[in-house]
Amino acid sequence: MSRPDSPTVVLIHGAFADASSFARVIPELLDRGLNVVAPAVPNRSLLGDSDYIASVVRQIPGPVVLVGHSYGGAVITVAGVEENVKALVYLAGYALAEGESLGELQGGFPDSDLAAALVYTPFPIEGSTESGTDVSVQVDKFHAIFAAGVDPDLAAVLAVSQRPLAAQAFGEKAPAAAWKTKPSWGLVASSDHTINPDVERYGYQRAGMTTVEVDSSHLVMLAHPRRVADLIEEAVRAVS
């Protein structure tokens, strides 16, 4: 039974995944009486994706706790400036500074194993003679790099149903950093092979977040759903 006075938890997935990456966390949150929305992120550009999620947030009555996994962390950093967003939760995510891009934040640290396992695929851009570039993960390396600790059969499904991220998103600079004015929580996946865990730690420490570390692969929501739900509930309680 949801609590009508409770903030709505909005779950923002990252690159190479979709909202089903929260499939084990959502039941945990619903069982705790929390209101949940898990929209599809276009994964086309940081600015466009953030605008889209901001529009979703604006249409939710009452307060919102924004949760971002991976690239979704960059999205909530920008979209989180919406007035009804009361807290941010980062899951193995990028906490960008204002004026910083994903490439710039990552560039200050050694590459993760992901860098050598990316696939670049052109796609048509409507109304343009130029092509865009989709970025995804080699299917045969997806389990080890992205989803270690997740059931192998499920990881195999995830590997062939990836939602790519357009390369444009890596170079766009965040026009705002919501964590400057909103209370924030961060989860470091300390066995992450997709994002260097030090990138996560650095962003969280810079933002002054309440931070926890979980010995997990990148898809911590599927590997440790209860631990993730606990952190989200902590944020909800803090702003309720």
Side-chain angles (χ1 to χ4, degrees), residues 143-240:
H143 188 198
I145 290 174
F146 201 76
V150 176
D151 176 81
D153 291 338
L154 175 57
V157 173
L158 298 173
V160 300
S161 59
Q162 294 178 52
R163 192 180 188 106
L165 179 65
Q168 177 179 340
F170 291 96
E172 291 182 337
K173 298 179 184 294
W179 49 256
K180 284 188 171 182
T181 56
K182 312 283 173 95
S184 304
W185 284 256
L187 184 151
V188 175
S190 60
S191 295
D192 201 333
H193 290 275
T194 298
I195 299 177
N196 182 334
D198 284 338
V199 173
E200 300 165 21
R201 293 184 185 104
Y202 172 77
Y204 300 169
Q205 289 166 3
R206 177 173 63 180
M209 292 186 199
T210 301
T211 303
V212 299
E213 298 222 3
V214 177
D215 183 10
S216 176
S217 62
H218 191 59
L219 276 178
V220 63
M221 313 89 73
L222 288 170
H224 300 277
R226 186 165 295 175
R227 188 68 194 85
V228 169
D230 287 345
L231 186 65
I232 293 170
E233 186 176 28
E234 180 181 327
V236 168
R237 289 184 183 281
V239 298
S240 293

Side-chain angles (χ1 to χ4, degrees), residues 4-222:
D5 58 333
S6 177
T8 297
V9 176
V10 180
L11 302 169
I12 306 304
H13 67 79
F16 324 131
D18 58 26
S20 68
S21 57
F22 290 103
R24 294 190 69 194
V25 169
I26 291 171
E28 288 274 350
L29 298 175
L30 294 176
D31 285 347
R32 301 176 194 208
L34 299 175
N35 310 304
V36 180
V37 175
V41 183
N43 281 8
R44 298 294 82 190
S45 70
L46 176 60
L47 301 182
D49 294 342
S50 301
D51 283 347
Y52 175 75
I53 293 305
S55 76
V56 171
V57 167
R58 281 195 298 274
Q59 295 174 70
I60 295 173
V64 164
V65 172
L66 261 184
V67 180
H69 173 247
S70 189
Y71 166 68
V75 174
I76 71 169
T77 296
V78 180
V81 298
E82 288 299 313
E83 189 177 349
N84 59 329
V85 174
K86 302 305 179 186
L88 306 169
V89 180
Y90 291 77
L91 305 173
Y94 294 106
L96 298 179
E98 185 175 347
E100 183 177 54
S101 70
L102 288 169
E104 288 169 341
L105 176 56
Q106 284 201 141
F109 298 86
D111 283 343
S112 70
D113 293 341
L114 175 70
L118 293 174
V119 178
Y120 301 92
T121 310
F123 68 87
I125 298 176
E126 186 177 359
S128 173
T129 57
E130 301 284 314
S131 291
T133 302
D134 262 341
V135 184
S136 57
V137 183
Q138 290 180 29
V139 169
D140 62 341
K141 295 183 177 178
F142 186 93
H143 188 198
I145 290 174
F146 201 76
V150 176
D151 176 81
D153 291 338
L154 175 57
V157 173
L158 298 173
V160 300
S161 59
Q162 294 178 52
R163 192 180 188 106
L165 179 65
Q168 177 179 340
F170 291 96
E172 291 182 337
K173 298 179 184 294
W179 49 256
K180 284 188 171 182
T181 56
K182 312 283 173 95
S184 304
W185 284 256
L187 184 151
V188 175
S190 60
S191 295
D192 201 333
H193 290 275
T194 298
I195 299 177
N196 182 334
D198 284 338
V199 173
E200 300 165 21
R201 293 184 185 104
Y202 172 77
Y204 300 169
Q205 289 166 3
R206 177 173 63 180
M209 292 186 199
T210 301
T211 303
V212 299
E213 298 222 3
V214 177
D215 183 10
S216 176
S217 62
H218 191 59
L219 276 178
V220 63
M221 313 89 73
L222 288 170

